[in-house]
Amino acid sequence: MGTKIASLIIKSRHEISITDLSEKIIAFDAYNIIYAFLSSIRNKESGGGYFTDADGNVTSHLNGLFYRMNNLLIHGIKPVFIFDGEPPSFKAAEIQSRRDKKAEAAKKREEALEEGDFEAAMKYAQATSRITPQIVQDAKILLNLYGIPIIDAPSEAEAQGSHLLQQGKIYALNSQDYDSFLFGGTRIVRNLAISQRRKVPGQSRWIEVSPELIILNEMLWELGLKNRDQLILLGLLIGTDYNPDGIKGVGPKTALKLVLKYKNPEKLFEYLDVKFGLDTIFPFSPFSLLDYFRNPNVESELLFQHRSPQFQKIQQFLVEERGFNRDRVEKQLLLFKKKSEQKTLDRFF
DNA sequence: CAAAGACA
DNA sequence: TGTCTTTGG
């Protein structure tokens, strides 16, 4: 439901500035952000290989996290990283499908490399990213040195983040898609990156993107939905991580119309059963999916606190253990220290 | 992706 | 000074 629901909401998407999030606790879906870095931070010359150190450890994500965390922390944002635990059984088919797509992309990359088409190889390489234990471990080391709390969710990070939102323990969840609203997340921040420009998937065109805040209640209001159940129904119709295709031939507009017409799960599913047959349009009983979104596996007793970054150790890890350029790292960390000192002074006076 | 370099 | 290109690991 990544982009499909975006077409339905306009007013409830608020353009914000990164400074609006100062002092706010923002949770990040760790695998999500790491995956984004693994995909985008790659070596063009080798046809899309990761950045690595001399020992072959992947460093693409460390590079991305380093600059991203510096910037977020400089702005006074308090990040929390949530790592996925065991995927729910509902996700098995989707996981397999992603695996197949990666294998396919890897094959195409090989072919492109053989033909010497490095640009095509790069494109396919980006679709092959896989998060290994080493990648996770290094990410956790770096985040720890930054004093950023790490949460190991029992299952889906988005579900855990949504729970923390409901408990009021965090201000917002950083996510590119809208799925966490189905889990009851109340606030989502999108496009929380540094650069305000993003390449359009089409070709060599760039667009301006600024962070945007979406609030669940406003979104429900704009859509004309009465409650979260109805939003979950909408999600099931257009597709979620657990039924990615949604219903063939039913786009966002039709989906919304159907939810508004039938209003509750029983009536909607009854209609769908008569029209299509529930078995043919859902991989699982839609009632069980609905129930899953209502009540996902999360941990309720989490406590976390932010600590000060250990600059010396960050530098030591990146430079001495992962082959980063000393001057670059030093310069960035100095800037960080300077700006955060300035910020505390500003607050004081 | 984000910073640094090149260039007008 | 702002924009486009190259580099980073």
Side-chain angles (χ1 to χ4, degrees), chain A residues 146-268:
Chain A
Y146 269 104
I148 293 169
I150 288 168
I151 292 171
D152 285 306
S155 186
E156 299 281 68
E158 300 244 352
Q160 184 65 60
S162 297
H163 190 67
L164 293 172
L165 277 164
Q166 291 177 326
Q167 291 181 311
K169 289 181 180 172
I170 61 175
Y171 175 77
L173 187 58
N174 175 249
S175 180
Q176 274 315 101
D177 56 47
Y178 296 79
D179 281 57
S180 48
F181 282 130
L182 305 193
F183 287 118
T186 51
R187 281 193 209 88
I188 287 180
V189 178
R190 302 178 74 242
N191 307 332
L192 192 48
I194 316 308
S195 98
Q196 301 290 285
R197 288 166 22 139
R198 180 166 300 174
K199 201 168 177 177
V200 180
Q203 278 288 308
S204 51
R205 201 160 60 86
W206 299 76
I207 47 160
E208 292 289 314
V209 283
S210 32
E212 61 181 29
L213 177 69
I214 303 127
I215 296 168
L216 175 65
N217 285 342
E218 290 185 13
M219 183 169 114
L220 290 177
W221 183 84
E222 183 175 1
L223 292 168
L225 300 177
K226 287 211 163 51
N227 49 50
R228 177 156 68 92
D229 264 11
Q230 293 189 334
L231 184 67
I232 299 173
L233 294 178
L234 180 66
L236 294 181
L237 297 185
I238 63 183
T240 68
D241 266 3
Y242 314 103
N243 65 321
D245 300 330
I247 299 175
K248 218 189 271 177
V250 175
K253 287 187 179 176
T254 311
L256 182 58
K257 236 177 263 175
L258 288 174
V259 174
L260 292 173
K261 180 171 179 191
Y262 292 99
K263 293 186 174 60
N264 65 59
E266 291 74 18
K267 292 245 175 62
L268 178 65

Side-chain angles (χ1 to χ4, degrees), chain A residues 27-47:
Chain A
F28 293 80
D29 180 337
Y31 276 80
N32 201 272
I33 189 171
I34 289 172
Y35 188 86
F37 287 139
L38 291 180
S39 298
S40 61
I41 304 178
R42 283 168 173 275
N43 182 352
K44 263 200 188 115
E45 281 137 52
S46 73

